[in-house]
Amino acid sequence: MRISVKELNKLLSEEILKKITSLGEICMNAGLQCYLVGGTVRDVILKVPQIDIDIVTEGNDKLFKDVSKKLIIKKIAFSQFNTAKLLFKDGFSLDIAQARKEIYPYPTSLPVVRRSSIHEDVKRRDFTINTLLMGITKKDFGKIYDYLGGIEDIEKGIIRALHKNSFIDDPTRIFRAFRFKERFSFRFDRETKNLMDNSIKAGYIKKLTPQRIRRELFLSLKEANWDKIIMNLSRSGVLKELGIKQKMTRSSITTFMRIIRNFNVTNQNWELSKLLIITENAQKKDIKAFSQKVGLRRNEVSILLELRRNGKIIVKTLSKKDLPNNKIYWLLEKIPIEGLFYLLGKGTPLSRKRIMLYFNNLKDIKINIKGDDLKKLGIKGGPIYKKILQKVLDEKLNGELKSKKEEIEFVKRIIYKPSQL
Ligand code: ATP
């Protein structure tokens, strides 16, 4: 198989193609092999736009230095495993790695890495669909090298592991498998599915560090088909391994998806809302265990526990007939947007209306007076300031105060009636 420049042009900008071609030239002049590799080639064949560029070479550190001299590069960042990220002045970046083979000293450990040939390098990868190479030097530009049947599996839509220890050496591949399956609507090769199930049943996922589990789970939650991936993680027992005993049902997911479709809130990935859905029927101790295994941050854990503890009460209170705005405000003030949108899916029409009132209006209401203004009124500093300012905010939330002058008048009124504080 050969990919033409015309086809590549549809997926990669002229600028990116130029950079790749220059890189190929530098490698060829140094007598070294150099290819696009892995997910990059998979995505070229699948015609996925906006492709991440990964390059593999048999080159050495000297090549990396040559590259940074000859290409106009802003920065070259070396990282673990003989890889480097080239950051170009226009903001584009690509990863270049020295071909390597990996040895796992024990299951789930990070691999020990040795330099190797390109041929060895593809064998360390996760699935056949991710083992393809594409030439980028003059002599083989666009040529696909397929050592392990990757093209056929892409064409048939099959996810196939490379060997029987794959999910034992590295159980993060279980998450990756579900991601690729749902992203591309592929299916598992039967033997691969058995190997995954066996690794899950044997408890290998638990042996991964929380950081690695977190990374994989969050990547899954960021996928467009995160709902299907979560259902897979639940059905296959992965979530159980992470402490969530109850199997998930689709209903909360569906409601939540409907809600976020209706709102155009940008820059929001909703991971925390999705974690709330995953943990909503779990017991407190299970949520704690899950949080530990997944390496959740303290603020994330506290919102999971807070809504586990008070979510139902909050929604019930928000459904009460006469509820002043200040009560709504203080009820929701500490809940981040992901929690609010999660609660939108749980409540009654009235509670939903009030959450929206808070979201669109109340949360941005600020008072005009500050501590200095209280000082000018001759009020002695101390915890009383906080109380007074809160009282002013309450009044403003309830629509009573329209200007700074009115706020000051209000303060004057209440400081002579301390019982109101
Ligand atoms: P995505 O589109 O989600 O980024 P990708 O396949 O490009 O998918 P990367 O994490 O960028 O994923 O990895 C690039 C390549 O490195 C993969 O295509 C695969 O060949 C290899 N790879 C990544 N993670 C693993 C792993 N855990 N085990 C084996 N090979 C891996």
Side-chain angles (χ1 to χ4, degrees), residues 37-40 42-43 52 54 95 100 102 104 122 124-127 129-131 166 170 172-173 176 179-180 183-184 212 215-216 219 223:
V37 68
T40 308
R42 175 200 70 215
D43 288 350
D52 279 346
D54 279 332
D95 289 325
R100 63 181 193 255
E102 294 178 343
Y104 290 83
V122 292
R124 71 166 174 88
R125 293 175 183 266
D126 48 2
F127 307 111
I129 59 167
N130 289 338
T131 59
S166 185
D170 180 356
T172 65
R173 292 171 185 160
R176 293 176 60 81
R179 282 209 296 280
F180 296 131
R183 190 190 302 168
F184 303 123
R212 293 182 79 197
R215 181 170 186 277
E216 295 304 323
L219 282 174
E223 290 277 324

Side-chain angles (χ1 to χ4, degrees), residues 249-261:
T249 54
R250 272 210 67 97
S251 65
S252 291
I253 301 180
T254 316
T255 314
F256 179 72
M257 289 177 89
R258 203 181 52 236
I259 289 167
I260 48 174
R261 246 198 316 272

